[in-house]
């Protein structure tokens, strides 16, 4: 049996691993140029040289035995390390409080190394944007933006964000009304992220901070991460509300406003180099509430962090559940 997995992030990789355990060979298709999704890393040419920024998820944690075992295997494979850092929460009055103690894992050398580890041994095809599927139960063909097609597949796993999932299913053969209704109810909010290189030393008295009040929700010093450069570089992530309000603003305006706020609040020097990235689907605030969903034909299912919540572990748990469900159907 063969399966197509659309989306090669943590959810897709977890689904494919479970399908493999169930005796089903999988091909993972992803529109991106590299692995990672929101666990992506960005290599940038700056006046200080080539630097790496973790501009999506800053770290991952594990509560379930399965995800903790996976992260432990990533550490053993040198694909992840524990981040021992000064992490704080800063309230609206400017008071800093240490974040609760927890194992926080970061990818090595970047966050996408965790996804690469999850994909090890799997058939992953990048830069392939799937737009629809045609056929019927157990006999699906995947069609791509460039006009190519692949198939037939006995099973299809869809690990797309809700809006992209709805568009994909609306173009496809089959009746997926219930899944589309669930996806419509899920709320996934955006996030603007700024990457910046500073020309002078900067110590904000934290390595990473969750910040309340104002436009900035998270700020981290890249040099504090395992293997980080000595160059002073930061990642600044805006709050969901601010990101939604400025969703269509230009990257230059976003960069200027977030860096100016960091200057006012933390005396951060203005950058000598900067770049902004817009995550349209960043933080799940209203999940579907179940790990996965399988269509009535029992050959197509959906997974992703939007099923359970906004953490990387939610994507992993959801993908595992879908892989198991389709292996047993």
């Amino acid at each position: 049996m063969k399966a197509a997995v659309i989306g090669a992030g943590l959810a897709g990789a977890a689904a494919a691993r479970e399908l493999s355990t169930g005796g089903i060979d999988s091909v993972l298709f992803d529109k991106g140029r590299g692995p990672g999704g929101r666990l992506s890393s960005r290599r940038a040419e700056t006046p200080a040289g080539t630097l790496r920024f973790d501009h999506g998820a800053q770290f991952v944690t594990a509560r379930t035995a399965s995800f903790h075992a996976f992260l432990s295997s990533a550490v053993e494979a040198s694909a992840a390390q524990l981040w021992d850092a000064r992490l704080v929460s800063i309230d609206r009055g400017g008071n800093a409080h240490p974040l609760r103690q927890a194992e926080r894992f970061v990818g090595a050398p970047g966050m996408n190394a965790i996804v690469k580890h999850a994909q090890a041994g799997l058939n992953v095809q990048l830069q392939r944007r799937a737009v629809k599927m045609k056929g019927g139960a157990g006999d699906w063909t995947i069609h791509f933006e460039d006009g190519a097609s692949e198939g037939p597949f006995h099973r299809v796993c869809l690990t797309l964000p809700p809006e992209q999932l709805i568009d994909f299913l609306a173009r496809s053969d089959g009746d997926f009304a219930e899944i589309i209704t669930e996806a419509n109810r899920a709320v996934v909010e955006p996030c603007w992220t700024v990457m910046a290189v500073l020309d002078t030393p900067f110590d904000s008295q934290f390595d990473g901070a969750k910040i309340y009040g104002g436009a900035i929700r998270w700020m981290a010093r890249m040099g504090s991460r395992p293997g980080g450069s000595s160059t002073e570089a930061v990642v600044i992530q805006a709050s969901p509300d601010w990101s939604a309000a400025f969703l269509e603003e230009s990257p230059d305006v976003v960069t200027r406003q977030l860096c100016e706020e960091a200057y006012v609040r933390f005396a951060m020097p203005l950058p000598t180099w900067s770049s902004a990235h817009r995550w349209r689907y960043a933080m799940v605030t209203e999940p579907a509430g179940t790990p996965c969903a399988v269509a009535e034909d029992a050959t197509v299912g959906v997974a992703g962090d939007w099923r359970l919540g906004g953490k990387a572990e939610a994507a992993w748990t959801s993908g595992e559940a879908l892989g198991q469900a389709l292996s047993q159907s």
Side-chain angles (χ1 to χ4, degrees):
M1 295 182 67
K2 293 178 61 179
V5 180
I6 312 302
L10 276 182
R17 290 159 66 112
E18 287 297 322
L19 288 167
S20 178
T21 299
I24 302 175
D25 292 330
S26 300
V27 183
L28 290 86
F29 302 104
D30 198 282
K31 67 178 182 178
R33 292 178 295 175
R38 279 169 284 174
L39 269 69
S40 292
S41 299
R42 172 78 63 85
R43 291 177 64 88
E45 297 299 327
T46 78
T50 302
L51 297 178
R52 183 187 300 273
F53 292 86
D54 290 325
H55 63 304
Q58 298 288 292
F59 58 83
V60 296
T61 58
R63 294 184 178 181
T64 62
S66 173
F67 195 51
H68 191 273
F70 163 70
L71 290 175
S72 296
S73 73
V75 172
E76 291 176 3
S78 299
Q81 296 184 46
L82 290 171
W83 188 22
D84 183 15
R86 301 172 298 170
L87 302 181
V88 301
S89 173
I90 300 177
D91 62 27
R92 295 176 183 274
N95 304 300
H97 310 277
L99 292 185
R100 65 175 179 81
Q101 291 295 315
E103 286 186 320
R104 294 180 172 87
F105 297 83
V106 297
M111 290 300 292
N112 63 356
I114 293 175
V115 180
K116 289 180 181 179
H117 181 67
Q119 295 173 346
L122 300 176
N123 182 356
V124 180
Q125 298 187 21
L126 300 173
Q127 293 185 281
R128 303 205 68 186
R129 183 190 292 269
V131 295
K132 62 186 176 182
M133 59 185 180
K134 294 295 182 180
D139 185 24
W140 296 104
T141 300
I142 307 299
H143 293 258
F144 297 88
E145 189 175 49
D146 61 3
S149 62
E150 298 277 356
F153 294 100
H154 302 93
R155 301 286 185 269
V156 178
C157 297
L158 302 172
T159 64
L160 303 168
E163 287 191 21
Q164 295 176 9
L165 174 68
I166 292 167
D167 181 68
F168 182 92
L169 291 178
R171 297 168 181 264
S172 299
D173 292 342
D175 180 7
F176 304 102
E178 188 172 339
I179 291 175
I180 289 174
T181 298
E182 285 189 326
N184 264 318
R185 286 200 299 260
V187 177
V188 184
E189 296 184 322
C191 176
W192 270 110
T193 295
V194 168
M195 298 155 277
V197 176
L198 313 178
D199 63 353
T200 58
F202 169 60
D203 187 359
S204 55
Q205 305 303 309
F206 59 77
D207 297 319
K210 182 181 290 187
I211 303 165
Y212 296 94
I216 299 173
R217 179 55 52 87
W218 172 264
M219 185 170 168
R221 300 172 64 238
M222 289 295 98
S224 70
R225 303 166 76 78
S229 169
S230 59
T231 301
E232 201 67 70
V234 298
V235 163
I236 303 170
Q237 294 181 329
S239 71
D241 289 347
W242 192 93
S243 296
F246 289 83
L247 187 63
E248 303 302 333
E249 190 55 86
S250 70
D252 287 344
V253 170
V254 169
T255 298
R256 183 175 67 252
Q257 293 207 24
L258 293 181
C259 287
E260 286 178 353
E261 181 164 316
Y263 168 76
V264 171
R265 295 195 67 170
F266 307 112
M268 186 191 86
L270 295 179
T272 59
W273 176 93
S274 61
S275 179
H277 179 86
R278 179 179 59 189
W279 298 97
R280 281 193 177 272
Y281 313 106
M283 178 59 66
V284 180
T285 55
E286 293 185 28
T290 58
C292 65
V294 177
E296 288 186 5
D297 66 16
T299 67
V300 177
V302 301
D305 62 358
W306 66 273
R307 302 292 314 180
L308 292 173
K311 295 182 178 294
E313 184 170 21
W316 179 267
T317 301
S318 176
E320 273 194 329
L322 179 58
Q324 292 168 5
L326 292 183
S327 295
Q328 297 165 4
S329 62

